[in-house]
Each structure stands twice: as structure tokens, then as C-alpha cells.
Amino acid sequence: MKTIDRTRLQALMEREKTRFVTERPKSAALFERARKSLLGGVPMNWMAKWAGAFPPFVREARGAEFFDVDGHRYIDLCLGDTGAMTGHSPSATVSAVEQQARRGITLMLPSEDAIIVGEELQKRFRLPYWQFALTATDANRFSIRLARHITGRPKILVFNWCYHGTVDESFITLTEGRTQARRGNIGPPVDPTVTTTVVEFNDVSALDAALAKEDVACVLAEPAMTNVGIVLPNQGYHQALREITRKHGSLLIIDETHTICAGPGGDTRAENLDPDFIVFGKPIAGGVPGAAYGFTAEVARCILDKQNLEDCDTGGIGGTLAGNALSLAAMRATLQKVLTTEAFDRMIPMAGRWTNGVQKAIIDFGLPWNVTRLGCRAEYLFAPQTPKNGTQAHDAMDFELERFMHLYTMNRGILLTPFHNMALMSPVTSKEDIDQHTKVFREAAKELMG
Ligand SMILES: Cc1ncc(COP(=O)(O)O)c(C=O)c1O
């Protein structure tokens, strides 16, 4: 297996940077204007991290593609980092939103759609009770609060290099046995080592030892890690995770926000998991803000037993706009008409096609990389072996190489998911889109390997 020549990589990167800027004068002008009213010229701090000198400004998106203001078309394999896994503006969601927008957007009162969505989620995930939030971050935060409330324990446990949104407790890392706040953590309210225990994914004995202290209210876990590359669970890991959490009295929150890519009931149904809570956000309403969290009858009973009517509108679980009529109408349409079993039957083989194309190029060009797939999501990592835990996946990250691959593909009309190398399939992603990626990936590999 060969290595990447860094001098060649830097020369190629300079060429791609120049091409990106030269071909996007309108985005460049908008970026200059944006710098006068938006911090760093972007609406969200992390948008500054896109691989070019500025992000392409979007004119319009539909289905699996979008166009920037300079008229370039992009095959969208990022899909708003799963927020648009449905494809952009799916017609069923759009017409539900159009109709609901004319009939009231937010009321602080329930609509029948809330029940229909709750019933649909019950069927998909086999958890009986559901509540709503506007983001998956909030759904995670609310589930954690409930777990602490029910168990009376102070801590949570997460896996090293996880990501669950901007959940304060989760910005912690483990390096050679030492836990510390994750690099880049902005103004943490408390040091996360006070609130959080962290172990490596797939390490059963570390999990058992950590939970044995019996101070952990809940484990917050993706069923497979998806934010540091894809890290799949070892055979039997989930069974061990469930047994150990039960043995030590910790609740289990499964965050399906990304792993919904595994099928209509996420990885929970695909792998027959048995959590106490499930969180599902991002694409649940076709890109309209909305998220849901579900829990068992036992959890519901504990919440109600401890609830005092006079105080139930305080306590850190809230959101004036959560459960609003518009997002519930969008969720109903998206679940019933867009993220269907038939859609997954199209999306998952498409990710298989993408993976096979990348895998073949890795072999043909001797790249020291590997590729992993979970349902309709796939990702390559800059290491020869598939990772078994967050540290191995994180060690394979290569900022310079990653930026090159993103810029190279963007310059040729393909958007990958930053800030790793993930491709997501929507129900309308086509074989032609995938084959175009394979062609561009092979060209990049050929240029890189010389
Ligand atoms: C697994 C997982 N959970 C939760 C979130 C948070 O989602 P949001 O940013 O929409 O709140 C993310 C975001 O990337 C995620 O990857």
C-alpha cells in the first residue's frame, strides 16, 4: 500500500483553491457582503470550515441536487448532514407545509397530527410514548434530564469522539485513560469531567467498570458511531450494552438522528435493539425543524409519578415552538409519504453502489484508505483498516487530505458531507449521480497517487 505525497497534495490543493474562487465570482461577492453583517461572513460559525475560501451560496435546491448563485449544479451527497435525507423539498412535505401554513403555524395547543405522528413513531420504533422538540440536540438534552430525574443520578456516559449535537455533557474526550474537555469546546457551563463518564465504543469491560460506580443516569449512544467516520458495533456489543446498563441501573438512550439511515425504524429496528429512550431529529420533518423522543411505559410511569402539575412547565424541558402545528404537519407527511419502506429500498442499494465504486478505486490505486456503509450512508476514512472505536476513527482523520477531497469534488459538481467524508442517499439520488461520484473519485485518486 502506498502513501500520499504531501508536496504533490499541496500543489493540487493550490490549483483547486484557485479554480474554486475563479469559477464563483457571485458567491465571492456575496461572501464579501456577508462579512459586513454576519460573523465571519457566515450564518453559522461552522460554515466557515467548508473547504473553499468561502462556501458556495445556494440559489435553489430540489431532490438530490442544488444550484449555486454562479449557476453550478451539484449532486448533493451531504443533504444538509441528514436534515435533507428526504431529498430537498419533497413534494408531499411541501404541500402539507403549504396547507398548514395557511391554517396556523404555532399555538401551544395540540393538533390531531401530533397523535398521528406519535402513532406512526410507535409502529416504527416500538416505543409507546413520544414527545417533541425542535432539534435533535434538544431531544437528547430532554431525554438526559428525564433520565437524571428518574434515576436520581448525576452523570451520563458517552463514547469517545461521539457527537450528539450541542449537548454540553458530550464534549469530552478520553486520551490514554485521561478525560478532558474536547478541544474547541466554547464556554462550557461546567467542566464535562464533572458531568460525564467517557469510554471507547465496543469496549465491554470498560463500560462495565464505568457503570459499576452506579452514578450514571444514562448512556447516550448512537447504535453505530457516525460522526467520526462510521464505527460499527462488534457482534454482540449491543446485547452487552443493554445487559450492563440494566445490571447497573442506568437508562439507555439511543440517538437515531443519523442511524435512521439503516431503515424506517432506524438501527433500533434493523438490529432489534431495546432502549429506554429513542431520539430522532433532522430529517423527521423533511428539513422543517422538528425532532421527537420516545420512551418506554416504565419511563412514562416514572415521569408522571414524579410530575407536579403546577411545576410541569419549568425544569429545563420546554420550547415554546416545540410540537408546533407546522412541524407536526411536516412530520406526518414526511413519515407517511417520504421516508417509507419503499424509499429505503431504493436508498440502501444506492449507497451500496457508491461504496463499491469507492472500494474498487481504493484497491485499483492502492490508496491506504477504507470505506464503510450503514444503510443509505457510506464513508471513506484515511486509514487502511476499518475502525473499532472512536480513537481509531479519529486518528485516521487528515484535515489537509479531507479538504482536498471536498474541494476537488465540489469543483466537479459534487458535495460531500463535511467535516468527514460521508455520502448520504436520498430517495431520488440516481445511479448516474453515484457513477459520476465514482468517476470523480477515481480521477482524484489518480492525481493524488501520481
Ligand atoms: C447523532 C446526532 N445526534 C444529534 C445531533 C444534533 O442535531 P441538531 O444539530 O439538529 O440538533 C446530531 C447532529 O449532527 C447528530 O449527529
Side-chain angles (χ1 to χ4, degrees):
M1 201 157 276
K2 306 176 200 164
T3 52
I4 307 286
D5 176 342
R6 294 286 152 169
T7 312
R8 178 186 295 121
L9 171 60
Q10 277 152 19
L12 289 171
M13 188 63 178
E14 285 313 309
R15 186 192 73 194
E16 294 301 317
K17 277 184 183 166
T18 306
R19 174 170 171 183
F20 183 86
V21 173
T22 313
E23 290 181 350
R24 287 165 184 78
K26 290 186 179 161
S27 275
L30 286 180
F31 184 62
E32 273 316 302
R33 186 173 141 207
R35 283 151 75 100
K36 298 185 186 109
S37 62
L38 306 176
L39 179 71
V42 284
M44 271 307 294
N45 54 342
W46 42 258
M47 288 188 195
K49 205 175 156 186
W50 280 100
F54 44 80
F57 280 68
V58 177
R59 191 188 74 208
E60 175 178 7
R62 57 173 182 239
E65 65 183 6
F66 73 93
F67 297 86
D68 70 15
V69 289
D70 289 287
H72 301 287
R73 172 185 180 263
Y74 300 78
I75 297 164
D76 193 354
L77 298 176
C78 166
L79 295 167
D81 194 12
T82 313
M85 191 177 102
T86 51
H88 295 288
S89 302
S91 57
T93 309
V94 169
S95 51
V97 165
E98 276 170 357
Q99 284 173 36
Q100 187 60 47
R102 276 190 283 272
R103 296 188 297 150
I105 293 172
T106 190
L107 294 107
M108 287 182 79
L109 284 170
S111 59
E112 192 184 355
D113 283 347
I115 308 170
I116 294 168
V117 172
E119 289 166 351
E120 175 68 30
L121 292 169
Q122 257 179 358
K123 272 188 253 153
R124 285 184 183 230
F125 294 103
R126 302 204 196 129
L127 280 181
Y129 294 105
W130 291 85
Q131 291 280 276
F132 300 99
L134 284 183
T135 64
T137 298
D138 266 357
N140 277 328
R141 289 182 41 239
F142 299 163
S143 303
I144 290 169
R145 276 187 172 257
L146 288 169
R148 281 199 294 248
H149 188 59
I150 292 168
T151 60
R153 295 181 177 182
K155 286 196 163 187
I156 77 161
L157 182 144
V158 295
F159 295 104
N160 204 18
W161 297 109
C162 68
Y163 186 73
H164 295 280
T166 53
V167 174
D168 288 314
E169 291 91 336
S170 65
F171 291 103
I172 186 164
T173 54
L174 175 69
T175 318
E176 289 162 10
R178 209 164 59 87
T179 56
Q180 59 189 348
R182 187 163 165 173
R183 207 179 84 194
N185 197 10
I186 300 168
V190 266
D191 181 342
T193 58
V194 175
T195 58
T196 311
T197 301
V198 53
V199 297
E200 293 289 359
F201 195 64
N202 276 327
D203 185 342
V204 173
S205 47
L207 177 75
D208 197 15
L211 294 187
K213 295 177 192 135
E214 309 219 330
D215 58 356
V216 170
C218 60
V219 172
L220 173 61
E222 284 193 280
M225 297 182 82
T226 66
N227 282 297
V228 59
I230 296 174
V231 184
L232 298 175
N234 288 341
Q235 188 78 28
Y237 183 67
H238 274 291
Q239 200 185 342
L241 171 62
R242 189 62 279 202
E243 281 169 15
I244 292 167
T245 45
R246 287 215 169 102
K247 179 169 84 170
H248 297 302
S250 301
L251 295 169
L252 177 60
I253 305 172
I254 290 287
D255 180 354
E256 287 280 8
T257 301
H258 278 180
T259 48
I260 189 66
C261 62
D267 218 29
T268 296
R269 281 281 53 84
E271 297 298 328
N272 210 18
L273 309 182
D274 182 22
D276 299 296
F277 290 83
I278 284 178
V279 166
F280 175 23
K282 293 200 186 181
I284 189 172
V288 173
Y293 56 108
F295 34 83
T296 60
E298 176 59 10
V299 167
R301 189 187 60 73
C302 291
I303 299 169
L304 293 178
D305 280 356
K306 290 188 169 225
Q307 186 166 296
N308 160 2
L309 189 61
E310 193 176 349
D311 297 330
C312 74
D313 59 337
T314 54
I317 295 183
T320 313
L321 301 184
N324 72 75
L326 190 73
S327 47
L328 282 161
M331 282 185 208
R332 174 182 174 176
T334 304
L335 291 171
Q336 292 189 333
K337 298 187 181 150
V338 186
L339 286 180
T340 57
T341 303
E342 299 71 50
F344 280 95
D345 289 345
R346 271 185 52 72
M347 291 146 82
I348 293 175
M350 214 57 85
R353 190 179 182 96
W354 189 91
T355 309
N356 291 343
V358 170
Q359 178 68 55
K360 183 160 187 322
I362 288 175
I363 294 168
D364 289 352
F365 294 97
L367 290 164
W369 302 356
N370 74 84
V371 58
T372 307
R373 180 179 69 79
L374 177 70
C376 67
R377 159 189 313 264
E379 164 139 15
Y380 55 87
L381 211 63
F382 303 124
Q385 307 299 335
T386 51
K388 289 284 168 213
N389 60 37
T391 294
Q392 288 176 11
H394 190 261
D395 286 351
M397 288 191 146
D398 184 326
F399 192 55
E400 190 183 31
L401 198 48
E402 178 190 297
R403 286 178 86 73
F404 170 72
M405 291 306 292
H406 281 257
L407 200 57
Y408 193 95
T409 47
M410 259 200 275
N411 277 338
R412 289 154 186 81
I414 296 170
L415 192 78
L416 289 169
T417 308
F419 306 100
H420 40 128
N421 311 305
M422 193 272 280
L424 187 66
M425 310 298 139
S426 77
V428 288
T429 305
S430 68
K431 284 184 183 160
E432 292 71 32
D433 295 338
I434 301 310
D435 294 348
Q436 177 62 14
H437 175 269
T438 303
K439 179 169 165 281
V440 169
F441 184 82
R442 292 185 71 84
E443 285 164 10
K446 190 169 174 204
E447 291 212 64
L448 268 177
M449 300 315 273

